[in-house]
């Protein structure tokens, strides 16, 4: 009878001892094997011994070695059930970096690649193979660029198949997304092999996971395309009504929008707006006949009732003088409007906006120009100058031309609500500017002040994320100049503190007690715990892990959590770090998990949310790395960890909380002194009296 597959014969030797030939059962714990070997040589304290390879790199054998060899043996089994069980176990263990390195060093990726390329089982075995492959590649040990073209084409075929297991295609799409983001050459292959129509089919299914992965691959392909290719791809997608589908069936779906889908919609919005960048960076060419005609069209639409007709017979000088005057009325600073549009940004984008407004809202355009032309010179709102500055403002607020963030999710639903959304937004904003100008009774000298108010109106309304342009119009028009001033005053009152010395002295006395209160709150927040997302050096992940502080503040506990699962209890978390073993708290670029990512703009937000703790792991220094979900959570957790380590809590959130508590406590203490002026200096102590005869001795009894 043949021995089981997990039993192998090996020779074990030791100096000054007779070598042994043993049957090693790889299913046994390594400690048990060592105990049996030591017993054969009559050695005590088997825990002091280890097995080491006698040739090659002479590495020590660990539990990972035994388990890795057993799993890889299962992958090559002729039994489908054995392969399935080995893949299941590999998926569970592949997230461990040490184990993954062991599997990869033993050609585990090649064996998984063979399973995926063969495609003998298009169901669970293939899905497990793809998942295990993705898990191993996530560690960054092997570059995605090393994948072979036949392998990538095989994965593409799974995406393009009509009848395919629902669990396979999301994984195949995720793998192709990783390939596209990491390898330009293979990304071109994916782009040529995966039709956009196929991705549209995946986006229109009701499977949210498949939708998300299809959107991820779509945004990856758009990011890897050249500007001209990107414009062509987006034009084609809009012709196929992708924008309307996203607006109706994804943004307004009954199912809540997931974080990953929100990120991909943010990226898609950024790429849409990025198409405006070439126009924004291109100045007007005074020698371009087309652009000169566009400027003349602006003038003619505004002044067609006043201007000359072709048969009026005006002289060339008279015609030139009349045009210069009308361009001045339009709000250009120079008689030659081309000089105003030589500035970049906004370049030709400002001209595009003005033309769009004049053609799609001609009555509002004529009313704007003629209304301001009839005012006194100092009170007129210059249309052209306002349009140029407003275009710059919108580009800044919407971050046109800036790189996409790796983690941001702040897309605006209204940009998927209609075509030409940027130009439509400009039409609303330019009318808002004219309305605000009249409310402020502004003059030419107040132009910058008006633009500051308009910036605040637009920024506050965009932050509300209105779902349609009409809703945006309603909300921004309700935010009048008076309302903006009221909001500013309210915010200022919340932020201001009284600077009188007695009150400053009172605040200083209150600080220690209130800092203790903040410290308690931070530690309670750590005890409540939080879900964190795993982010690799390549892209964002949808995996979660949970970390919390034990109630006695002695141990940090953490472990992985499945998406959508309830929060685990501290007792169920498998990993622990004693607080006493923590060496230091690292933040930002000092963290090991972001140190290698460079200093590009796209990584700035990642640096601002990253923190790590270094701790003693045996004789080595280890790290537990975090990416906070938000800036506030970053401050709360770093404050709590600093409090645990006895370091000062120096975050911006602590400063704000302390200021708020000090303001509230000070107001409560001074409630009875309302409307009583507090002097800058205490009143002087009067000099002592000339005699103390007024003193009465109560101990003397009267007769």
């Amino acid at each position: 009878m043949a021995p089981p597959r997990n039993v192998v014969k090996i020779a074990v030797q030791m100096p000054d001892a007779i070598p042994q030939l043993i049957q090693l059962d790889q299913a046994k714990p390594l400690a048990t094997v060592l105990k049996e070997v030591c017993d054969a040589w009559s050695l005590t304290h088997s825990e002091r011994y280890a097995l080491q390879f006698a040739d090659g790199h002479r590495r020590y054998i660990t539990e990972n070695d035994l388990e890795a060899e057993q799993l890889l043996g299962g992958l090559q089994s002729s039994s489908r059930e054995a392969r399935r069980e080995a893949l299941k176990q590999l998926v569970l263990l592949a997230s461990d970096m040490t184990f993954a390195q062991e599997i990869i060093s033993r050609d585990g990726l090649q064996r998984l690649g063979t399973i995926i390329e063969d495609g003998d089982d298009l169901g669970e075995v293939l899905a497990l193979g793809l998942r295990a492959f993705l898990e191993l590649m996530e560690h960054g040990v092997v570059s995605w660029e090393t994948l072979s073209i036949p392998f990538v084409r095989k994965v593409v075929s799974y995406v393009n198949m009509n009848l395919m297991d629902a669990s396979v295609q999301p994984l195949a799409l995720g793998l192709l997304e990783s390939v596209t983001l990491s390898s330009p050459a293979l990304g071109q292959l994916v782009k040529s092999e995966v039709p956009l129509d196929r991705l549209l089919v995946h986006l229109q299914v009701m499977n949210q996971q498949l939708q998300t992965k299809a959107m991820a691959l779509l945004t990856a392909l758009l990011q890897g395309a050249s500007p001209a290719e990107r414009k062509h791809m987006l034009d084609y997608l809009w012709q196929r009504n992708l924008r309307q589908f996203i607006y109706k069936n994804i943004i307004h779906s009954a199912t809540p929008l997931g974080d990953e889908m929100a990120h991909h919609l943010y990226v898609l919005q950024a790429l849409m707006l990025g198409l405006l960048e070439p126009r924004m960076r291109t100045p007007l060419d005074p020698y371009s006949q087309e652009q000169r005609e566009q400027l003349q069209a602006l003038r003619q639409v505004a002044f067609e009732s006043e201007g000359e007709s072709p048969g009026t017979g005006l002289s060339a000088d008279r015609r030139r003088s009349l045009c210069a005057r009308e361009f001045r009325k339009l709000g250009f600073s120079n008689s030659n409007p081309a000089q105003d549009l030589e500035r970049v940004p906004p370049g030709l984008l400002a001209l595009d906006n003005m033309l769009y407004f004049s053609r799609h809202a001609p009555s509002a355009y004529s009313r704007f120009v003629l209304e301001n032309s009839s005012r006194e010179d100092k009170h007129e709102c210059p249309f052209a100058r306002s349009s140029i500055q407003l275009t710059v403002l919108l580009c800044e607020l919407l971050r046109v031309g800036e790189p996409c963030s790796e983690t941001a999710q702040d897309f605006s639903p209204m940009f998927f609500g209609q075509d030409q959304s940027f130009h439509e937004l400009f039409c609303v904003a330019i009318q808002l500017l004219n309305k605000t100008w009249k409310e402020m009774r502004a003059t030419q000298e107040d132009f910058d002040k008006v633009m500051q108010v308009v910036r605040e109106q637009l920024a506050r309304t965009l932050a509300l994320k209105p779902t349609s342009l009409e809703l945006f119009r309603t909300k921004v028009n309700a935010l009048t100049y008076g309302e903006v001033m009221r909001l500013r005053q309210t915010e200022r009152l919340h932020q201001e503190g009284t600077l009188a010395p007695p009150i400053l002295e009172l605040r200083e006395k209150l600080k220690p007690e209130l800092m203790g209160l903040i410290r308690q709150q931070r530690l309670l927040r750590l005890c409540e715990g939080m879900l964190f997302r795993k982010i690799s050096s390549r892209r964002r992940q949808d995996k979660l892990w949970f970390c919390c502080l034990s109630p006695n503040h002695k141990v940090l506990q953490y472990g992985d959590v499945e998406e959508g699962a309830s929060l685990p209890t501290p007792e169920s978390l498998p990993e622990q770090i004693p607080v006493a073993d923590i060496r230091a708290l690292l933040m930002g670029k000092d963290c090991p998990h972001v140190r290698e990512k460079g200093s590009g703009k796209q990584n700035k937000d990642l640096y601002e949310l990253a923190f790590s703790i270094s701790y003693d792991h045996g004789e080595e220094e280890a790290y537990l790395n975090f990416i906070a979900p938000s800036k506030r959570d970053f401050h709360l957790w770093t404050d709590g960890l600093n409090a645990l380590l006895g370091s000062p809590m120096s975050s911006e959130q602590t400063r704000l909380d302390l200021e708020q508590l000090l303001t509230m406590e000070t107001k409560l203490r001074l409630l009875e002194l309302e409307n009583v002026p507090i002097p800058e200096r205490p009143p002087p102590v009067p000099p002592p009296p000339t005699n103390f005869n007024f003193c009465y001795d109560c101990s003397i009894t009267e007769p």
Side-chain angles (χ1 to χ4, degrees):
M1 180 178 176
R5 290 183 61 87
N6 60 338
V7 176
V8 294
K9 289 186 177 182
I10 62 170
V12 183
Q13 63 183 10
M14 187 179 71
D16 303 326
I18 301 173
Q20 301 181 43
L21 181 65
I22 66 171
Q23 288 192 337
L24 176 64
D25 186 351
Q26 298 177 63
K28 284 185 179 180
L30 183 59
T32 303
V33 175
L34 284 170
K35 180 75 166 58
E36 293 174 355
V37 172
C38 289
D39 288 345
W41 278 322
S42 302
L43 299 173
T44 57
H45 303 293
S46 61
E47 67 275 4
R48 298 179 182 177
Y49 295 87
L51 295 175
Q52 183 184 31
F53 287 104
D55 52 3
H57 295 290
R58 304 184 65 85
R59 292 184 299 106
Y60 285 98
I61 299 175
T62 65
E63 291 282 1
N64 282 338
D65 292 309
L66 299 177
E67 196 157 13
E69 194 62 41
Q70 184 179 2
L71 283 178
L72 292 175
L75 294 182
Q76 294 179 308
S77 171
S78 58
S79 166
R80 178 182 177 279
E81 185 63 27
R83 288 201 308 274
R84 186 173 69 84
E85 289 302 319
L87 285 168
K88 275 187 176 180
Q89 191 66 16
L90 181 55
V91 168
L92 292 175
L93 298 174
S95 58
D96 179 78
M97 180 67 173
T98 305
F99 183 80
Q101 288 176 327
E102 198 63 46
I103 290 288
I104 292 170
S105 68
R106 295 169 182 267
D107 298 329
L109 283 173
Q110 287 81 349
R111 299 187 192 184
L112 286 171
T114 301
I115 292 175
I116 294 169
E117 286 192 65
D118 290 345
D120 297 333
D121 187 330
L122 298 180
E124 186 182 9
V125 170
L126 178 58
L128 289 170
L130 286 167
R131 190 181 297 278
F133 192 90
L134 279 166
E135 291 278 1
L136 293 174
M137 291 296 291
E138 285 302 327
H139 295 289
V141 178
V142 178
S143 171
W144 290 91
E145 295 182 346
T146 60
L147 300 185
S148 67
I149 290 177
F151 175 83
V152 175
R153 281 193 169 132
K154 189 65 178 181
V155 177
V156 166
S157 71
Y158 297 142
V159 170
N160 291 335
M161 280 185 187
N162 288 321
L163 298 175
M164 173 59 67
D165 190 277
S167 61
V168 171
Q169 286 187 324
L171 294 166
L173 287 164
L175 194 150
L176 294 180
E177 180 208 1
S178 302
V179 168
T180 304
L181 290 172
S182 305
S183 171
L186 292 176
Q188 286 298 319
L189 174 64
V190 174
K191 180 185 171 187
S192 63
E193 297 280 340
V194 180
L196 290 178
D197 286 327
R198 189 63 197 165
L199 292 179
L200 290 173
V201 170
H202 290 315
L203 282 169
Q204 292 172 7
V205 300
M206 300 309 295
N207 184 333
Q208 193 176 34
Q209 186 185 17
L210 184 57
Q211 266 187 350
T212 302
K213 294 302 181 183
M215 184 65 77
L217 179 55
L218 178 60
T219 55
L221 290 172
L222 288 168
Q223 285 178 284
S226 67
E229 290 175 327
R230 188 179 302 151
K231 184 178 186 311
H232 176 74
M233 292 168 70
L234 285 171
D235 288 344
Y236 178 77
L237 292 169
W238 282 185
Q239 289 172 9
R240 298 300 306 273
N241 299 321
L242 175 63
R243 178 188 61 73
Q244 293 89 329
F245 180 82
I246 291 173
Y247 187 72
K248 293 178 182 177
N249 299 85
I250 295 180
I251 295 176
H252 289 99
S253 169
T255 308
L257 202 64
D259 289 347
E260 192 175 358
M261 178 61 86
H263 170 73
H264 295 310
L265 291 179
Y266 153 79
V267 173
L268 184 58
Q269 174 185 300
L271 295 173
M272 287 161 45
L273 293 172
L275 297 179
L276 302 169
E277 186 180 7
R279 299 289 287 178
M280 183 183 74
R281 304 285 183 198
T282 305
L284 185 137
D285 181 5
Y287 301 103
S288 168
Q289 181 64 28
E290 179 188 0
Q291 293 170 16
R292 287 204 303 269
E293 289 174 355
Q294 289 174 339
L295 286 170
Q296 291 298 331
L298 273 178
R299 181 186 62 80
Q300 290 167 3
V301 172
F303 301 109
E304 59 184 352
S305 60
E306 298 180 7
E308 75 286 354
S309 63
T312 54
L314 293 175
S315 65
D317 290 342
R318 172 65 177 152
R319 186 187 301 274
R320 195 178 302 113
S321 174
L322 183 60
C323 288
R325 190 173 79 243
E326 289 178 346
F327 277 126
R328 288 276 190 181
K329 284 185 178 182
L330 267 177
F332 287 98
S333 303
N334 301 281
S335 56
N336 180 5
Q339 295 177 3
D340 292 59
L341 293 167
E342 289 177 351
R343 169 189 170 192
V344 289
L348 291 175
L349 186 57
L351 179 59
D352 294 342
N353 279 334
M354 288 189 279
L355 283 169
Y356 188 90
F357 183 46
S358 68
R359 291 169 180 171
H360 292 79
S363 59
Y365 169 68
S366 298
R367 186 167 59 250
F368 187 114
V369 176
L370 297 177
E371 180 182 295
N372 284 286
S373 299
S374 61
R375 294 178 187 164
E376 296 179 33
D377 287 347
K378 68 174 184 177
H379 283 289
E380 67 178 16
C381 178
F383 172 74
R385 183 185 176 193
S386 300
S387 298
I388 292 169
Q389 193 61 36
L390 187 59
T391 303
V392 174
L393 172 58
L394 289 174
C395 289
E396 290 175 356
L397 289 175
L398 300 174
R399 300 179 180 178
V400 175
E402 293 187 15
C404 296
S405 163
E406 289 187 359
T407 57
Q409 303 170 10
D410 53 341
F411 72 96
S412 295
M414 69 176 182
F415 284 101
F416 296 93
Q418 66 181 68
D419 295 321
Q420 304 294 337
S421 52
F422 183 83
H423 297 313
E424 290 288 343
L425 180 61
F426 171 83
C427 293
V428 174
I430 192 67
Q431 295 176 77
L432 170 71
L433 189 149
N434 189 39
K435 172 174 169 285
T436 303
W437 184 280
K438 290 186 287 186
E439 289 172 352
M440 295 178 66
R441 299 180 181 178
T443 63
Q444 294 286 346
E445 290 77 15
D446 299 321
F447 183 84
D448 290 338
K449 293 180 182 177
V450 175
M451 292 307 302
Q452 289 175 5
V453 174
V454 171
R455 172 187 281 272
E456 190 166 343
Q457 290 171 315
L458 294 173
R460 286 180 183 273
T461 309
L462 285 170
L464 299 174
K465 298 186 183 303
T467 54
S468 68
L469 188 68
E470 283 306 313
L471 187 58
F472 176 86
R473 189 196 310 271
T474 302
K475 288 182 178 295
V476 81
N477 284 328
L479 194 60
T480 61
Y481 171 63
E483 181 67 13
V484 169
M485 296 306 293
R486 189 189 67 79
L487 290 171
R488 284 182 178 179
Q489 180 68 15
T490 302
E491 291 169 359
R492 187 160 54 247
L493 288 174
H494 282 304
Q495 294 173 0
E496 282 180 353
T498 309
L499 299 179
I503 296 182
L504 291 177
E505 186 178 343
L506 173 62
R507 288 163 62 92
E508 286 299 320
K509 289 183 178 180
L510 293 173
K511 273 185 182 179
E513 178 185 352
L514 297 179
M515 283 299 292
L517 189 64
I518 294 172
R519 181 180 183 276
Q520 291 179 21
Q521 187 270 339
R522 299 296 194 261
L523 292 176
L524 283 173
R525 189 60 178 260
L526 263 62
C527 291
E528 290 175 7
M530 178 169 287
L531 286 173
F532 296 92
R533 290 194 174 273
K534 292 184 177 180
I535 298 183
S536 71
S537 60
R538 183 187 53 78
R539 64 181 179 94
R540 48 196 313 281
Q541 299 293 315
D542 53 356
K543 296 179 184 176
L544 299 171
W545 64 289
F546 185 80
C547 182
C548 67
L549 178 67
S550 63
N552 62 2
H553 301 175
K554 299 291 185 184
V555 176
L556 275 178
Q557 299 168 294
Y558 63 96
D560 291 342
V561 178
E562 290 294 329
E563 182 82 29
S566 58
L567 296 181
T569 59
E571 296 78 16
S572 65
L573 295 172
E575 305 292 336
Q576 293 186 349
I577 299 175
V579 173
D581 290 347
I582 298 177
R583 295 185 182 181
L585 172 65
L586 307 175
M587 291 182 280
K589 295 183 179 180
D590 296 329
C591 298
H593 58 311
V594 297
R595 195 180 298 152
E596 70 278 9
K597 289 182 66 62
S599 57
K601 278 186 180 178
Q602 62 270 34
N603 297 320
K604 183 180 177 183
D605 58 332
L606 198 62
Y607 293 147
E608 292 176 348
L609 299 176
F611 63 98
S612 305
I613 56 172
S614 64
Y615 61 95
D616 294 325
H617 185 65
E619 296 182 357
E620 299 178 352
E621 183 179 21
Y623 297 90
L624 183 62
N625 302 316
F626 301 76
I627 298 290
S630 66
K631 195 68 178 174
R632 175 177 170 79
D633 293 323
F634 171 85
H635 290 318
L636 295 178
W637 271 76
T638 52
D639 283 343
L641 293 170
N642 274 324
L644 275 179
L645 300 176
S647 302
M649 299 182 294
S650 56
S651 75
E652 180 67 12
Q653 189 63 45
T654 294
R655 188 189 67 78
L656 292 174
D657 290 348
L658 179 61
E659 185 61 31
Q660 185 177 12
L661 290 172
L662 281 171
T663 302
M664 292 172 58
E665 187 67 21
T666 304
K667 287 181 177 179
L668 288 172
R669 299 281 182 107
L670 301 177
L671 203 56
E672 295 182 0
L673 296 179
E674 189 175 2
N675 298 325
V676 175
I678 299 175
E680 290 289 327
R681 297 178 181 177
V685 178
T690 55
N691 62 71
F692 295 87
N693 293 337
F694 58 86
C695 180
Y696 183 77
D697 190 355
C698 298
S699 62
I700 301 175
T701 59
E702 295 182 1

